[in-house]
Amino acid sequence: MAIILASQSPRRQELLRKMGICDFRTMSLDVDESYPAGLSPEETVAYISRKKSDAAATLVSPDDVVITADTMVFLDSDRLGKPRDEADALHMLTELSGRCHTVCTGVTVRRGETVDAFCVSTDVYFRACEEYELRAYIATGEPMDKAGAYGIQGLGALFVEKIDGDFYNVMGLPIERLGRTLVRFGVKLF
C-alpha cells in the first residue's frame, strides 16, 4: 500500500509530514475544476475534491490510499480564489479587513472502490487593516499564490484576529479529521 497525495501543494505536503506520514508520493492532476451552479461552499469543495479523486483513481493501484483536497475561501457566498495580480490581491484583502470569512476544504480519501469524503469549514476573523499594511504585505509576494490572497501560516497571520475551527484547514488540509479517516483506511499514524 502506497500513500499518494494528489496535490503539488507544499503546504499539504508539510501537513502530511506533520501528521507523521513521511513516506508518501505526490501526483499532479489536470482536472477541470468547474462545478455546477447553486452548490453551497461545502458542496463545491467536496465536488471538486471528488473529481480529483476520480481522476487519480485511474492512475494508481487499487491498494494505494489516495488523498485529494480542494480548499476555497468564501466571503459571504462569494468565492475568493488566487489573486490575478496585485490590484486583485489588494481588493480581496480590503474586502476581508474587519470581517469574518469561511475557509472550506473538501477531502476525499480512496482505496480502490472504498471512498470517504468530508468537508471541514473554519471561520477566520480579520482585524481591521490599514491600506499601507495590505500593500506592504502584497509587496512580499506571499499572497499571490493563495486563495483569499493570504497565508495564515506566514505573514498573513498578522491580520488574523481569531479563528473558529481547524487552523490546519485554513492551510489546506484538516489534519485531525484526515487522521481519523486515514486510520480507518489502515494507515498507522503513531
Side-chain angles (χ1 to χ4, degrees):
M1 168 182 71
I3 299 172
I4 300 170
L5 175 64
S7 171
Q8 293 299 310
S9 164
R11 290 169 293 283
R12 288 191 178 121
Q13 293 172 38
E14 172 190 343
L15 292 174
L16 273 189
R17 288 184 197 98
K18 188 176 283 295
M19 294 172 66
I21 300 171
C22 297
D23 187 19
F24 65 91
R25 296 191 328 249
T26 61
M27 85 171 16
S28 181
L29 297 172
D30 185 22
V31 175
D32 170 20
E33 294 191 13
S34 62
Y35 50 90
L39 296 181
S40 70
E42 292 81 5
E43 291 168 332
T44 300
V45 295
Y47 180 86
I48 294 172
S49 176
R50 181 60 188 251
K51 280 176 81 171
K52 292 176 181 180
S53 180
D54 291 345
T58 65
L59 304 171
V60 300
S61 162
D63 289 334
D64 295 338
V65 174
V66 180
I67 304 163
T68 58
D70 191 69
T71 301
M72 292 186 183
V73 175
F74 293 89
L75 183 61
D76 302 322
S77 60
D78 296 329
R79 176 181 173 234
L80 301 181
K82 295 176 183 177
R84 293 181 304 278
D85 52 31
E86 290 184 359
D88 194 30
L90 180 60
H91 175 75
M92 284 186 204
L93 291 168
T94 301
E95 289 293 307
L96 294 174
S97 177
R99 298 178 67 190
C100 174
H101 62 278
T102 303
V103 178
C104 298
T105 301
V107 178
T108 306
V109 179
R110 170 189 299 264
R111 186 173 189 188
E113 294 301 313
T114 305
V115 178
D116 191 346
F118 59 89
C119 178
V120 174
S121 296
T122 302
D123 289 331
V124 181
Y125 297 80
F126 263 35
R127 65 172 171 81
C129 305
E130 300 292 334
E131 184 176 332
Y132 78 88
E133 296 176 292
L134 300 178
R135 287 185 182 280
Y137 177 55
I138 292 166
T140 69
E142 183 178 283
M144 300 314 295
D145 68 339
K146 295 173 180 62
Y150 77 96
I152 196 167
Q153 72 282 2
L155 292 171
L158 294 169
F159 305 130
V160 177
E161 193 169 66
K162 68 177 181 174
I163 69 167
D164 184 10
D166 185 331
F167 171 82
Y168 297 110
N169 181 54
V170 184
M171 286 179 63
L173 209 52
I175 62 176
E176 183 276 331
R177 178 75 185 269
L178 177 58
R180 286 189 287 136
T181 302
L182 289 173
V183 167
R184 288 195 303 274
F185 278 78
V187 176
K188 297 192 185 311
L189 298 178
F190 293 101

